[in-house]
Amino acid sequence: MDQLFNIRLSSVGSTKRSAEERVIPFWRDYMQNVEEEEEGPSKLAKILGFSTGATVITLVRFSPQPSIEFLHEQSVSPSRRLPMANTCINCLKLPLLETYDQFKESMDFALGNTQGFGRE
């Protein structure tokens, strides 16, 4: 499912880009770890639902293609430490955290506390 998302990076050489490049491996490790969990398929559906509003990948392609952006305004608001999504444009916005453990905790909290358009 990682290949489903187009990662939108800032300009090469910028400080934003280096922060984003630190988080990309966290995202990929998180996705790999989710796939290996007992509840993997269910959690992958939650990630997809959180990001796009759809809990399954169908033969019809997403439009627009799901993407990943980054939350650079962390110091402005503590809520920026959690992922956000805009399901109208299929965009997942990841927080720029320092460690994988922080990233995993943030993702797990967001996924575990999202209602998913009243489906749950």
Side-chain angles (χ1 to χ4, degrees), residues 7-46:
I7 299 175
R8 297 184 184 163
L9 296 166
S10 297
S11 301
V12 174
S14 68
T15 55
K16 286 183 176 183
R17 176 77 175 243
S18 64
E20 295 164 357
E21 288 176 341
R22 182 184 65 244
V23 173
I24 292 168
F26 297 165
W27 164 252
R28 292 195 169 127
D29 288 348
Y30 185 78
M31 295 298 290
Q32 181 70 38
N33 291 340
V34 165
E35 288 177 6
E36 294 171 359
E37 291 177 4
E38 185 175 323
E39 63 189 34
S42 163
K43 199 165 183 181
L44 289 171
K46 280 187 174 186

Side-chain angles (χ1 to χ4, degrees), residues 13-113:
S14 68
T15 55
K16 286 183 176 183
R17 176 77 175 243
S18 64
E20 295 164 357
E21 288 176 341
R22 182 184 65 244
V23 173
I24 292 168
F26 297 165
W27 164 252
R28 292 195 169 127
D29 288 348
Y30 185 78
M31 295 298 290
Q32 181 70 38
N33 291 340
V34 165
E35 288 177 6
E36 294 171 359
E37 291 177 4
E38 185 175 323
E39 63 189 34
S42 163
K43 199 165 183 181
L44 289 171
K46 280 187 174 186
I47 294 168
L48 188 62
F50 183 82
S51 307
T52 67
T55 56
V56 295
I57 299 172
T58 65
L59 295 176
V60 178
R61 300 184 90 169
F62 285 97
S63 181
Q65 177 184 358
S67 62
I68 291 177
E69 294 181 359
F70 302 88
L71 297 167
H72 288 277
E73 303 82 23
Q74 285 181 336
S75 60
V76 176
S77 169
S79 67
R80 298 288 187 199
R81 299 189 63 77
L82 293 173
M84 297 172 58
N86 182 334
T87 57
C88 294
I89 60 169
N90 299 328
C91 182
L92 175 61
K93 298 178 182 184
L94 299 177
L96 297 170
L97 300 171
E98 296 295 321
T99 68
Y100 175 76
D101 288 338
Q102 291 172 338
F103 183 85
K104 180 183 183 316
E105 182 180 328
S106 174
M107 290 295 294
D108 288 346
F109 182 85
L111 294 171
N113 291 284

